[in-house]
Amino acid sequence: MVMIMRILWPVRPETAVRIDAKFLDPQYVSWRRKAGLPAAEHTGIDINIAGTYGDGDEGYPVIAFAEGKVVSVSRHRVWGWIILIEHDKVPGYSKLWSQYAHVKFPCVAVGDYVMAGEAIASIGKGDPLAPFLAHLHFEIRKRPVAPDYWPGMNKAEILANYIDPEAYIKQYRDSSWRFLRKNYQLITPNPDTPTGQYIVNLDPAGDKVWIRKTS
């Protein structure tokens, strides 16, 4: 059976995004040097809401890009709030980790299980001493790297531990309200409802459910 997993941009599904710094963006390295900062490669992408400027999207909801378990919610002086989520059986991988940095107002805790599209924080600005314009720094990792880890200019290490979030989401993005559970039990008046694998489809209005048993 093909595992069905909802994959989204880490903002509300109907929202258009703007990528202001790409994965391993060469302009990011030169920008850091011009800003007087140590040279470093970009391990993720910097996301803003299309049509906003400056800090116009500060406070905009950040959502889980796929369902998974929150494994870290921490505060870092430069990164601001960081949220790290572990994902099982996502398309193309047995496990991935997504990180959301420079966020504010985190609304999840370690151990929470979140669904794709569930709000976890909002877009913030990070470093309070020299804050950049509001944006979401978003990473997808192949290995359980420490939340605030920064590999600097080690491009080989980045390629070993990270993937391009923009390319991954564009390949697998699925905003339909569709979920698969291995051991799903239907809560119905019938106490004899069997367990097993089900595909559950919820329409966006939330007032209809379609259920198909698959095993």
Side-chain angles (χ1 to χ4, degrees):
M1 176 186 292
V2 176
M3 172 64 74
I4 298 172
M5 176 69 73
R6 193 178 187 211
I7 300 294
L8 303 169
W9 287 104
V11 294
R12 293 187 306 196
E14 72 276 13
T15 304
V17 301
R18 184 181 76 245
I19 309 300
D20 285 342
K22 293 180 176 290
F23 179 68
L24 294 175
D25 193 328
Q27 295 183 3
Y28 180 79
V29 179
S30 59
W31 172 83
R32 285 184 65 93
R33 286 180 173 140
K34 289 177 183 178
L37 299 170
E41 296 283 0
H42 202 224
T43 53
I45 56 177
D46 288 347
I47 297 176
N48 284 100
I49 307 304
T52 64
Y53 302 93
D55 292 332
D57 50 8
E58 184 176 7
Y60 196 94
V62 173
I63 65 173
F65 103 107
E67 68 173 274
K69 183 179 180 180
V70 178
V71 294
S72 180
V73 180
S74 58
R75 175 78 178 171
H76 185 270
R77 190 193 69 77
V78 176
W79 286 82
W81 281 102
I82 303 169
I83 297 174
L84 183 64
I85 301 177
E86 182 181 274
H87 311 274
D88 290 322
K89 297 181 175 63
V90 289
Y93 295 87
S94 60
K95 192 181 290 284
L96 286 175
W97 290 260
S98 62
Q99 175 157 293
Y100 313 73
H102 310 319
V103 300
K104 61 192 299 186
F105 308 135
C107 56
V108 290
V110 173
D112 286 353
Y113 194 87
V114 294
M115 302 302 298
E118 186 172 341
I120 59 173
S122 64
I123 293 176
K125 300 176 68 170
D127 188 349
L129 300 182
F132 305 125
L133 294 175
H135 68 279
L136 172 66
H137 176 82
F138 178 67
E139 298 177 350
I140 300 179
R141 302 165 168 193
K142 296 183 282 187
R143 294 181 175 85
V145 181
D148 58 355
Y149 182 68
W150 189 246
M153 288 295 289
N154 194 334
K155 190 171 182 178
E157 185 177 356
I158 294 171
L159 291 172
N161 291 328
Y162 300 78
I163 63 174
D164 182 345
E166 182 179 11
Y168 183 84
I169 294 174
K170 284 182 176 179
Q171 180 177 359
Y172 294 111
R173 180 176 178 271
D174 184 358
S175 60
S176 61
W177 290 61
R178 183 175 59 188
F179 308 91
L180 177 88
R181 290 292 171 274
K182 282 191 172 181
N183 293 294
Y184 198 100
Q185 183 168 0
L186 299 180
I187 306 302
T188 73
N190 181 1
D192 298 322
T193 299
T195 59
Q197 289 189 336
Y198 291 84
I199 291 178
V200 179
N201 291 274
L202 312 174
D203 86 344
D207 59 357
K208 295 179 182 177
V209 179
W210 292 268
I211 300 171
R212 178 165 61 87
K213 195 174 190 303
T214 59
S215 68

